[in-house]
């Protein structure tokens, strides 16, 4: 009976450690994915704003 309790405690510790590692890996992957999406969004927005600025600048120069 004592051996069963010791074995159960060891199994709980092992399962807890594996769950913690898996959770951290999932969080890391989610953060990596979020960072990549954020980078893409910022690059797209920056490109559009640059195009708008250059278009306005060209119109202004043409007007002068």
């Amino acid at each position: 009976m004592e051996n069963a309790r010791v074995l159960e405690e060891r199994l709980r510790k092992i399962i807890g450690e594996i769950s913690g590692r898996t959770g951290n890996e999932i969080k890391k992957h989610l953060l990596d994915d979020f960072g990549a999406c954020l980078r893409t969004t910022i690059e797209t927005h920056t490109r559009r704003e640059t195009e708008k600025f250059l278009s306005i600048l060209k119109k202004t120069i043409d007007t002068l």
Side-chain angles (χ1 to χ4, degrees):
M1 193 66 156
E2 183 63 33
N3 287 338
R5 281 189 222 140
V6 172
L7 181 59
E8 183 181 357
E9 287 177 26
R10 291 173 82 186
L11 286 174
R12 284 183 188 202
K13 287 180 184 179
I14 291 170
I15 291 170
E17 187 175 327
I18 290 172
S19 296
R21 288 183 185 177
T22 303
N24 288 334
E25 288 177 20
I26 290 170
K27 288 176 190 174
K28 181 182 176 190
H29 291 300
L30 288 174
L31 287 174
D32 290 344
D33 290 344
F34 177 71
C37 290
L38 188 60
R39 243 186 326 275
T40 302
T41 302
I42 290 172
E43 289 171 357
T44 302
H45 179 72
T46 302
R47 191 175 306 116
R48 286 183 192 154
E49 290 299 314
T50 302
E51 289 173 359
K52 285 180 187 177
F53 172 76
L54 291 175
S55 175
I56 293 170
L57 182 62
K58 184 182 182 312
K59 287 178 185 177
T60 303
I61 291 172
D62 288 344
T63 303
L64 293 175

